[in-house]
Amino acid sequence: MIESKLKLKVTDILKKYKSDSYQLLSILIEIQNHFRHIPPVCIPWIADELDVTPLHIEGTLSFYHFLSTEHRGKITIYMNNSITSEMFGGNEVLKTFENELGISVSQTTPDGLFGLYTTSCIGMSDQEPAALINNLVFTHLSPERVKKIIAGIKKGLSLNSIQESIYISETKSATHCENNEILKNKIKEKTLPPPPLSNISNSIHKKGPVLFADYHLGATLHELLKYDSTEVIEIISKSGLRGRGGAGFPTGTKWGYAHSTASDERYVICNADEGEPGTFKDRALLTERAELIFEGMIVAGYAIESKKGILYLRGEYTYLKEFLQSKLKSMREQNLLGRRILNSRFSFDIQIKMGAGAYICGEESALIESAEGKRGEPRNRPPFPVTSGYKNRPTVVNNPETLACAAKIILHGAEWFKKLGTPQSSGVKLLSIAGDCERPGIYEVEWGLSIKEILQLCGAQDTMIIQVGGPSGICLSLQQADQTLCYSDVPTGGAITIFNSKRNLLELLKNNLNFFVHESCGFCVPCRAGNTLLYNQLQKIKMGHGTVKDLEDLRHLSSIVKSTSRCGLGQSSTNTLVSSLNNFPSQFEKIIERKSTTQC
Ligand code: SF4
């Protein structure tokens, strides 16, 4: 491309973002989407305009998976390589992409038309194998579908029309996959949303009394304005609501800290960056209950006396951005958002900021760094975000599910919410269930349900491993299925992946460690090097070269990584490995024994 044309476009993009360095990530995403890469020649121009160093720009763009200085193809394919993709034929699908395109992973075709890459979970674990193609989702992929997609693109068809021909036409003729009963019903009921959402079945198998119960837009806000900010915090505290992202911090306490910190500005951030492989509950909530989440953000804003909210949306959910923006626009038009909400004296607005593919940005301080346009590296604490977060102002970061619960609590009261669940874990929990079961999808359940009941709900049979909480969670066996989901027994952010007796535990653990190897931000050695060492050791054992000493070493190294890593990623990366060593010793011993027998 001629340099002057390139400069013109980059200047336009910089102008759009008012040359604000806090918008660097948005600027880079827009350049990437337009040119399919970030031409290195632009880096000094951007640096000059934003008054930062070129090194800062390079450091930022190299941090994010979806940004690159090398051309990623006019059509960029990101094939999911998480464990559920592998379980349901992802490797074969990837091979077909390679064969059809004549390239290997991480390459572009010589004509620059296609780029093929792998990526970790794209929030489709209930519909794997799946891939993102220029930010659109293609689910339930098979070698045949891959051939159809590539042929369609080569013929010049648009991705939307290819999606339609695969997902809508096939469903209409009832040849679509069995898992998509819900989509079929939507077509029958004529409630099918327009592309790009139409090929995604949210598979909500169980609606509960809070999140997927009846919803009337604005009802919460009318109720909210009857209270003052302190009363709202009191109601949320009394309800017992705790953060739904996994850590379980009491929401009312968090809001109280932010509220009591003196500042000229405060911020509310909705952390819609669910990146834990196996998690897809926020995807369902964002598509089915977007306004409820926004009302929850308004409630949080009112409580901490903030005027500004940010929805930080993971890059993998880019296809939802326009849809969410249309919901925000409609709320503004109805005076439910923006200046003087419902003619009160309270003003609050929400903007959407995009991520660009980095799991660590789900950690709240890393997310704040990313929302500020920088590398998403976790901050040292203290100070905590509630006193010094976005732009060093008090900031509450909450998960979409937490915020949606808060909105319903304001509407129905603290006591109503407290009656649900268990005394220490009030309310409901959204579960995203995937893997070997008849009904993968979304379940809204009260806290306190046992693992056994969950297996029955989703139709799991011949179960060997229940991974609760994704790769950073724990692996339980059927002997532990009487344990219950709640903060005091088995806490969880909601991802449950089920593996039957035909699956290989070591494959699962390798996939988990590989995920952390790729997602480690590299800041500290135990996480950066330790996870790689563990992966290699596991590979050695899987290949039949392990000894009893190797198992001891796995435990020892895991405890070092856990205790010396700087943030939650490294501190939890060995959880599934250690819980598997404890709960499935025979799975390891049989490989070691086989080796001893062979040696004899
Ligand atoms: Fe980065 Fe260290 Fe956190 Fe790993 S533990 S993600 S290297 S800060």
Side-chain angles (χ1 to χ4, degrees):
M1 166 170 286
I2 305 160
E3 204 171 296
S4 58
K5 263 191 174 176
L6 196 143
K7 192 157 192 175
L8 212 61
K9 182 67 196 171
V10 172
T11 308
D12 268 0
I13 294 172
L14 284 163
K15 255 193 211 151
K16 179 177 163 188
Y17 291 98
K18 299 190 173 88
S19 297
D20 177 1
S21 64
Y22 280 101
Q23 300 289 348
L24 173 60
L25 184 54
S26 307
I27 292 166
L28 293 175
I29 292 171
E30 199 150 332
I31 294 174
Q32 174 80 40
N33 286 341
H34 188 83
F35 296 110
R36 315 309 300 160
H37 72 309
I38 296 166
V41 68
C42 313
I43 292 174
W45 307 339
I46 305 169
D48 255 11
E49 201 57 43
L50 302 190
D51 200 17
V52 295
T53 63
L55 200 64
H56 177 77
I57 311 279
E58 281 163 21
T60 303
L61 81 85
S62 65
F63 186 83
Y64 295 94
H65 192 59
F66 295 148
L67 303 178
S68 170
T69 50
E70 282 172 19
H71 199 271
R72 291 252 168 120
K74 205 169 152 202
I75 304 289
T76 319
I77 301 163
Y78 286 104
M79 177 74 204
N80 179 15
N81 62 6
S82 69
I83 190 67
T84 41
S85 173
E86 273 187 21
M87 285 163 76
F88 298 107
N91 290 337
E92 202 191 339
V93 168
L94 184 61
K95 199 87 223 129
T96 313
F97 270 124
E98 288 182 323
N99 291 341
E100 291 299 302
L101 300 175
I103 53 172
S104 301
V105 172
S106 302
Q107 289 183 342
T108 50
T109 51
D111 60 1
L113 181 56
F114 292 97
L116 178 64
Y117 301 86
T118 55
T119 191
S120 58
C121 188
I122 59 170
M124 290 291 152
S125 295
D126 54 338
Q127 300 167 60
E128 293 293 348
L132 287 170
I133 306 183
N134 281 12
N135 292 326
L136 295 182
V137 186
F138 287 76
T139 58
H140 294 298
L141 288 173
S142 59
E144 293 66 41
R145 280 193 173 169
V146 168
K147 287 177 192 167
K148 208 166 169 177
I149 292 166
I150 300 300
I153 296 170
K154 284 181 178 169
K155 253 193 249 165
L157 299 179
S158 73
L159 286 168
N160 278 337
S161 70
I162 297 170
Q163 261 192 339
E164 192 162 325
S165 80
I166 293 180
Y167 297 100
I168 300 182
S169 310
E170 285 188 17
T171 310
K172 277 178 182 160
S173 61
T175 57
H176 202 50
C177 66
E178 286 158 21
N179 273 340
N180 228 345
E181 279 305 321
I182 292 171
L183 185 54
K184 282 185 204 169
N185 288 337
K186 280 193 169 186
I187 287 173
K188 249 191 256 159
E189 294 159 9
K190 296 195 171 31
T191 55
L192 187 71
L197 304 181
S198 49
N199 66 322
I200 301 162
S201 160
N202 273 328
S203 309
I204 300 166
H205 293 294
K206 184 168 168 40
K207 294 185 177 189
V210 180
L211 298 162
F212 290 116
D214 285 351
Y215 169 65
H216 303 286
L217 174 63
T220 290
L221 300 184
H222 282 282
E223 197 62 29
L224 176 73
L225 295 171
K226 294 178 187 167
Y227 304 105
D228 66 26
S229 56
T230 322
E231 286 168 332
V232 171
I233 293 174
E234 249 176 59
I235 294 170
I236 298 298
S237 296
K238 273 192 195 151
S239 74
L241 177 64
R242 294 168 67 169
R244 292 322 200 224
F249 193 81
T251 308
T253 310
K254 189 184 248 190
W255 292 8
Y257 286 142
H259 185 229
S260 60
T261 304
S263 180
D264 56 342
E265 272 187 329
R266 297 185 185 84
Y267 294 96
V268 174
I269 299 186
C270 174
N271 179 353
D273 191 37
E274 57 174 355
E276 189 84 35
T279 309
F280 48 90
K281 68 181 180 72
D282 292 345
R283 178 199 86 210
L285 209 52
L286 286 160
T287 40
E288 306 283 340
R289 287 288 184 271
E291 292 103 329
L292 181 65
I293 298 170
F294 295 143
E295 285 198 76
M297 290 179 73
I298 298 168
V299 169
Y302 189 81
I304 68 165
E305 298 182 27
S306 154
K307 289 187 176 58
K308 287 181 190 155
I310 295 169
L311 176 83
Y312 183 95
L313 186 64
R314 65 187 303 227
E316 290 81 351
Y317 291 171
T318 296
Y319 62 92
L320 284 175
K321 187 180 173 191
E322 210 175 302
F323 166 77
L324 293 170
Q325 269 170 336
S326 72
K327 296 283 179 190
L328 288 172
K329 183 168 175 271
S330 157
M331 284 179 74
R332 279 184 205 109
E333 285 163 0
Q334 295 173 70
N335 193 212
L336 299 171
L337 185 69
R339 276 182 55 74
R340 298 179 58 101
I341 290 173
L342 290 173
N343 300 324
S344 69
R345 293 167 63 187
F346 172 58
S347 300
F348 183 84
D349 212 337
I350 297 172
Q351 69 171 121
I352 298 176
K353 284 203 168 208
M354 297 304 302
Y359 165 73
I360 187 61
C361 291
E363 196 275 341
E364 63 176 1
S365 67
L367 180 145
I368 289 169
E369 287 285 297
S370 180
E372 288 180 354
K374 297 179 270 188
R375 285 168 72 84
E377 278 171 1
R379 291 179 179 175
N380 285 327
R381 305 168 194 225
F384 291 90
V386 281
T387 56
S388 179
Y390 185 69
K391 296 187 176 177
N392 298 325
R393 304 297 205 288
T395 303
V396 298
V397 181
N398 281 129
N399 179 276
E401 190 184 340
T402 315
L403 291 161
C405 284
K408 282 292 180 89
I409 290 166
I410 293 303
L411 185 61
H412 297 296
E415 282 310 311
W416 164 81
F417 193 75
K418 230 179 150 27
K419 279 189 193 132
L420 303 167
T422 72
Q424 281 78 36
S425 306
S426 51
V428 294
K429 183 76 199 84
L430 269 193
L431 303 178
S432 31
I433 302 184
D436 293 316
C437 62
E438 282 165 18
R439 294 176 292 281
I442 301 290
Y443 294 77
E444 181 184 343
V445 301
E446 290 187 37
W447 283 112
L449 213 65
S450 72
I451 305 279
K452 202 180 275 168
E453 288 169 302
I454 288 161
L455 295 177
Q456 278 161 5
L457 261 183
C458 67
Q461 276 162 19
D462 186 27
T463 301
M464 178 171 70
I465 307 158
I466 308 111
Q467 180 178 270
V468 182
S472 66
I474 46 168
C475 286
L476 299 175
S477 72
L478 268 188
Q479 280 76 51
Q480 292 150 314
D482 285 329
Q483 293 189 17
T484 55
L485 291 188
C486 61
Y487 292 107
S488 55
D489 195 358
V490 183
T492 177
I496 295 192
T497 315
I498 298 162
F499 302 86
N500 67 26
S501 66
K502 292 176 195 69
R503 305 294 179 184
N504 186 325
L505 172 64
L506 270 74
E507 278 301 338
L508 160 65
L509 297 175
K510 268 181 54 194
N511 189 292
N512 285 353
L513 279 169
N514 189 39
F515 169 73
F516 289 115
V517 167
H518 281 95
E519 296 297 336
S520 165
C521 81
F523 186 95
C524 53
V525 178
C527 172
R528 188 178 65 230
N531 285 312
T532 306
L533 289 172
L534 285 165
Y535 178 88
N536 292 340
Q537 192 125 6
L538 211 54
Q539 172 73 352
K540 179 183 159 193
I541 295 170
K542 186 170 172 278
M543 299 298 287
H545 305 303
T547 62
V548 173
K549 169 88 173 44
D550 285 313
L551 296 185
E552 287 163 12
D553 288 350
L554 277 182
R555 281 185 188 278
H556 182 61
L557 187 52
S558 295
S559 85
I560 294 175
V561 173
K562 189 177 181 70
S563 58
T564 56
S565 286
R566 181 167 161 256
C567 85
L569 186 145
Q571 290 156 11
S572 62
S573 65
T574 60
N575 285 354
T576 54
L577 172 60
V578 174
S579 56
S580 295
L581 285 164
N582 293 337
N583 298 334
F584 302 93
S586 60
Q587 295 286 322
F588 296 90
E589 284 157 9
K590 71 182 179 196
I591 306 174
I592 307 279
E593 272 169 23
R594 211 167 46 222
K595 187 198 168 211
S596 318
T597 317
T598 318
Q599 277 175 342
C600 293

